[in-house]
Amino acid sequence: MITLDYTRTDLQEDIFSYQQKVNELHQQLNDKTCLGNDYIGWLDWPENYDKEELTRIKEVAQEIREKADVLLVCGIGGSYLGARSAIEMLQGLYSQNKLEIIYTGNTVSSTYLYQTLKHIEGKSVYLNVISKSGTTTETAVAFRLYQQYIVDKFGVEESKKRIIATTDKNKGTLKTLADQNGYRTFVIPDDIGGRYSVFTAVGLLPIAAAGFDVEKILAGSRQAMKDLSDPSLRNNAAYQYAVIRRILQNKGKDVEFLVSYEPNMTMVSEWWKQLFGESEGKEEKGLLPASVTFTTDLHSMGQFIQQGTKCFFETTLAVDTPLHDLTFPNDESNLDKMNYLAGKSIDWVNKMACQGTVAAHHEVGGIDNLIIHLPKIDEENYGYMIYFFFKACAMSVLLLNVNPFNQPGVEVYKKNMFKLLGKE
Ligand code: PA5
């Protein structure tokens, strides 16, 4: 479903010269002998997911849709970005959805927490707390506040229905807490890290609660798994992307901008930044993943991109068919002088903006521009795209001889914070 167009790049190395290395790493991934091999459960998850758990996810999601006005999704990083990226991409930023989803547990801003607590007053609230470790401070701080709110408002018995924990199968603080309080639980598999977890209950429960067909998401990911199982750089778009990222960094491009033209794709970019940033940024290596949403950011970052320091390349994530389209109306008076667009589709205008921008950046600015084509905004395409990025990210990082599946650097700030907070 996804295609990669790299005709607007000036690659100073032959992409096919990487074939042998790619074959070796592909084999290591499949044999589970690569760096970080205890965290590659995501690789065959589209086929090997827990079918019984999926049935439970759909049942609980249906209950949430029937009973709740608000679903609080309480998690941070990989424990919320996937769900949010899917829901915003698939439903858009304004929707008729009766269920409001509030993402929390991803900040310790007192203002944010105070205002969300005020906002949910008088509403029927369900809470899905998501944490693999069960000890993440941002999530734990928010969880205790909402847990107490729900117990106070709805009572101890009712809170057992309204609070649902997604966490480790057997161990950890959140698992113990959930079991002791009688909360329902879903599992984050041991061999799947946070940023690779959107196809597990971490992502699927909130996405199903938002009303989307999670079977179709899994079907899209399964299709990608099949399409991207051939290591040949002639056929595998994810591996082409992985190799081109390395070639462009070798050429001195240390930053990659993911460019989108759809505001409902902004959280996909946020998810993508976490995936690549946390997987790749180690041992003083890696591309800095950045993102812009055009044409909005052409009026802020556009100047720098066109004429500033040339330390970056662009990867345009182009949506061929958007969620909705409109026809630009005629106006007899034409006082705004906009009748030259009368009868044209707004999406066509957006596509022309994209074409014009890519040409300006590449032909005039000399910027390498990769284009990833996503045919459509729907569940299958979401599943396909996410698996495409998983596979591309793993290969791209393994090409650097870096473990794509850990995040040792994140612990440094936590240690300092715990010390300052007086945690034992
Ligand atoms: O990708 C990752 O592993 C991280 O972003 C984690 O998902 C994030 O730190 C949250 O961790 P946890 O689920 O343990 O609360």
Side-chain angles (χ1 to χ4, degrees):
M1 287 195 225
I2 276 187
T3 52
L4 179 73
D5 174 358
Y6 55 95
T7 53
R8 292 172 195 81
T9 52
D10 170 24
L11 302 181
Q12 294 176 355
E13 293 170 71
D14 176 12
I15 146 167
F16 299 105
S17 67
Y18 282 75
Q19 187 64 68
Q20 198 185 335
K21 188 70 196 160
V22 165
N23 288 347
E24 278 167 29
L25 294 171
H26 177 80
Q27 196 61 45
Q28 287 177 21
L29 250 180
N30 285 347
D31 297 345
K32 299 198 187 326
T33 55
C34 63
L35 283 171
N37 57 0
D38 40 355
Y39 280 99
I40 38 183
W42 57 271
L43 192 66
D44 47 16
W45 185 256
E47 276 177 357
N48 292 345
Y49 66 91
D50 182 337
K51 317 289 182 293
E52 268 174 43
E53 183 166 70
L54 186 70
T55 306
R56 252 178 10 97
I57 287 173
K58 290 195 293 186
E59 284 165 5
V60 174
Q62 186 54 32
E63 176 187 322
I64 295 171
R65 287 188 69 66
E66 282 162 16
K67 303 241 175 83
D69 302 320
V70 173
L71 171 64
L72 296 163
V73 174
C74 186
I76 194 167
S79 287
Y80 98 104
L81 281 164
R84 187 167 182 178
S85 70
I87 294 166
E88 291 197 4
M89 168 173 151
L90 296 171
Q91 91 178 1
L93 300 182
Y94 301 95
S95 83
Q96 307 302 316
N97 209 334
K98 181 186 139 290
L99 180 73
E100 182 185 7
I101 299 187
I102 295 179
Y103 302 95
T104 185
N106 54 52
T107 173
V108 271
S109 156
S110 52
T111 304
Y112 186 81
L113 292 166
Y114 174 89
Q115 289 192 328
T116 51
L117 281 163
K118 285 279 161 214
H119 181 77
I120 61 177
E121 262 177 23
K123 296 179 180 163
S124 173
V125 179
Y126 269 64
L127 166 61
N128 181 201
V129 56
I130 308 168
S131 178
K132 181 163 178 161
S133 62
T135 54
T136 301
T137 311
E138 292 86 341
T139 305
V141 165
F143 175 64
R144 184 182 285 192
L145 291 168
Y146 299 116
Q147 182 195 28
Q148 290 194 352
Y149 176 89
I150 289 174
V151 172
D152 284 353
K153 290 280 169 191
F154 301 100
V156 174
E157 276 315 302
E158 181 65 16
S159 71
K160 292 180 185 169
K161 279 196 208 132
R162 290 178 178 264
I163 300 176
I164 300 145
T166 305
T167 188
D168 189 274
K169 190 173 186 178
N170 302 308
K171 59 181 189 303
T173 313
L174 182 55
K175 175 67 179 157
T176 310
L177 181 155
D179 287 348
Q180 290 201 0
N181 285 296
Y183 301 152
R184 288 175 285 186
T185 57
F186 289 99
V187 174
I188 310 180
D190 283 343
D191 57 355
I192 300 185
R195 56 193 178 276
Y196 293 84
S197 70
V198 61
F199 298 134
T200 71
V202 172
L204 297 189
L205 180 60
I207 296 169
F212 296 103
D213 187 337
V214 290
E215 302 262 14
K216 287 186 179 168
I217 290 183
L218 287 165
S221 68
R222 243 182 340 268
Q223 186 62 45
M225 182 180 158
K226 198 167 147 245
D227 293 354
L228 304 172
S229 62
D230 174 1
S232 165
L233 283 166
R234 298 210 178 271
N235 306 324
N236 189 318
Y239 287 175
Q240 287 169 3
Y241 174 47
V243 167
I244 291 170
R245 295 178 81 251
R246 294 281 68 92
I247 292 177
L248 290 172
Q249 192 172 21
N250 290 345
K251 188 179 143 180
K253 307 297 173 187
D254 284 325
V255 179
E256 176 179 13
F257 274 111
L258 188 72
V259 182
S260 147
Y261 284 76
E262 298 287 344
N264 59 321
M265 297 292 281
T266 299
M267 288 310 297
V268 168
S269 298
E270 293 302 312
W271 171 87
W272 173 92
K273 283 195 283 197
Q274 190 212 350
L275 178 70
F276 280 90
E278 217 166 56
S279 300
E280 185 163 284
K282 290 160 213 168
E283 303 173 26
E284 303 197 4
K285 296 181 191 169
L287 280 160
L288 171 65
S291 66
V292 277
T293 305
F294 288 168
T295 60
T296 314
D297 294 334
L298 284 171
H299 297 259
S300 57
M301 292 293 286
Q303 172 58 39
F304 186 99
I305 292 175
Q306 188 72 50
Q307 294 181 328
T309 318
K310 293 284 180 289
C311 55
F312 61 88
F313 65 94
E314 289 177 295
T315 299
T316 299
L317 184 53
V319 173
D320 294 341
T321 310
L323 259 188
H324 303 287
D325 200 359
L326 289 169
T327 303
F328 192 70
N330 188 49
D331 179 347
E332 285 297 303
S333 69
N334 197 25
L335 289 172
D336 57 7
K337 306 260 185 296
M338 294 298 287
N339 268 356
Y340 72 100
L341 289 179
K344 298 276 197 291
S345 102
I346 302 281
D347 185 53
W348 176 82
V349 177
N350 205 15
K351 297 273 188 306
M352 294 307 103
C354 177
Q355 269 186 36
T357 304
V358 169
H361 290 180
H362 177 57
E363 288 160 25
V364 183
I367 297 154
D368 295 297
N369 218 306
L370 288 166
I371 302 179
I372 295 175
H373 281 280
L374 185 68
K376 210 174 154 194
I377 303 260
D378 63 11
E379 287 98 329
E380 281 99 341
N381 276 276
Y382 178 81
Y384 197 103
M385 174 186 74
I386 295 297
Y387 194 89
F388 169 91
F389 282 130
F390 281 168
K391 204 84 197 263
C393 181
M395 179 54 71
S396 209
V397 179
L398 288 170
L399 281 166
L400 277 180
N401 201 26
V402 163
N403 178 348
F405 309 118
N406 63 0
Q407 52 285 328
V410 182
E411 298 308 312
V412 183
Y413 100 90
K414 287 189 194 170
K415 274 194 193 139
N416 281 352
M417 183 174 72
F418 290 154
K419 205 165 148 198
L420 293 165
L421 293 173
K423 183 177 176 173
E424 287 177 13

